[in-house]
């Protein structure tokens, strides 16, 4: 059930951000004009080796595998005093169902917020004629969530991953969130920033001064 649920969420994210927005007809000439500028390669051997939504799904799977496959489930006892049962450490104690219900409510709220943010980001990118996978970037997208932070999509992915630690009362997902954030912050985002700076120069520097990377 856990892997099935995560696969559904991962599919939603992939459908939302995976499809490239088709370039408008009048942008074809712009592509020819910028063909000699730096290009961002996504995939094996590229500057971004793993597409971020796929990286999130891999982190979810790693957290779930550790949660189910090890003898220690690392329950967040400092948040919830109960142990054992379906959501806690391996012991004969029972799960507190009211607390479990509360965790599921928190998860549903974060999931809704994350999907709403990703959809808003995709809409903003499409309106600017930009594809999320950097196949077509005619301009800097400064509308919607991108007017408040530069990496709203990635923040949604990290937030959802961290929230799984509340859902399943396991620190393994906190570790997965830390790994995902590190990959995004130290590999993906710097590569994207170098690419965008090469494309837009001073205009992108000004955008970075006005809008924070994360918060």
């Amino acid at each position: 059930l856990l892997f099935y649920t995560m696969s559904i969420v991962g599919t939603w994210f992939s459908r939302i951000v995976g499809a490239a927005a088709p370039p408008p007809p009048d942008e074809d000439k712009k592509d020819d004009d910028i063909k000699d500028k730096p290009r961002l390669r996504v995939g094996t051997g590229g500057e971004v080796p793993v597409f971020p939504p796929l990286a999130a799904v891999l982190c979810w799977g790693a957290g779930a595998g550790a949660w189910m496959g090890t003898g220690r489930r690392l329950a967040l006892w400092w948040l919830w005093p109960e142990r054992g049962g379906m959501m806690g450490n391996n012991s004969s104690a029972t799960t507190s169902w009211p607390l479990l219900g509360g965790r599921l409510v928190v998860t549903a709220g974060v999931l809704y917020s994350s999907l709403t943010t990703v959809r808003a980001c995709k809409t903003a990118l499409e309106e600017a004629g930009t594809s999320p996978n950097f196949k077509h970037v005619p301009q800097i997208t400064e509308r919607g969530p991108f007017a408040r932070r530069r990496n709203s999509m990635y923040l949604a992915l990290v937030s959802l991953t961290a929230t799984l630690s509340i859902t399943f009362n396991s620190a393994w997902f906190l570790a997965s969130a830390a790994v995902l954030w590190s990959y995004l912050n130290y590999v993906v985002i710097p590569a994207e920033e170098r690419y965008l700076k090469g494309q837009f120069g001073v205009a992108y520097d000004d955008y970075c001064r006005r809008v924070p990377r994360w918060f």
Side-chain angles (χ1 to χ4, degrees), residues 40-86:
L40 184 67
R41 296 171 299 165
V42 180
T44 305
E47 292 84 358
V48 178
V50 181
F51 193 45
L54 176 59
V57 173
L58 293 175
C59 286
W60 299 343
W67 181 77
M68 294 186 299
T70 64
R72 293 182 60 82
R73 296 187 180 179
L74 301 181
L76 302 176
W77 55 268
W78 45 274
L79 286 179
W80 295 279
E82 89 283 2
R83 294 187 175 87
M86 182 177 64

Side-chain angles (χ1 to χ4, degrees), residues 22-37:
D26 59 346
E27 295 294 343
D28 292 338
K29 187 175 184 302
K30 287 187 178 180
D31 285 344
D32 293 335
D33 293 339
I34 65 175
K35 63 182 179 180
D36 294 329
K37 293 187 177 182

Side-chain angles (χ1 to χ4, degrees), residues 16 117-129 141 143 153:
I16 291 174
T117 298
V118 173
R119 282 187 178 276
C121 289
K122 183 172 184 289
T123 299
L125 291 172
E126 288 178 341
E127 290 176 352
T141 304
R143 65 192 73 185
M153 279 188 176

Side-chain angles (χ1 to χ4, degrees), residues 2-3 6 10 50-67 157-158 160-162 164-165 168 170-184:
L2 173 62
F3 280 108
M6 290 193 300
V50 181
F51 193 45
L54 176 59
V57 173
L58 293 175
C59 286
W60 299 343
W67 181 77
L157 289 175
V158 174
L160 182 58
T161 305
L164 292 177
S165 66
F168 300 103
S170 174
W172 288 115
F173 290 100
L174 282 180
S176 296
V179 171
L180 178 61
W181 179 86
S182 298
Y183 171 68
L184 295 173

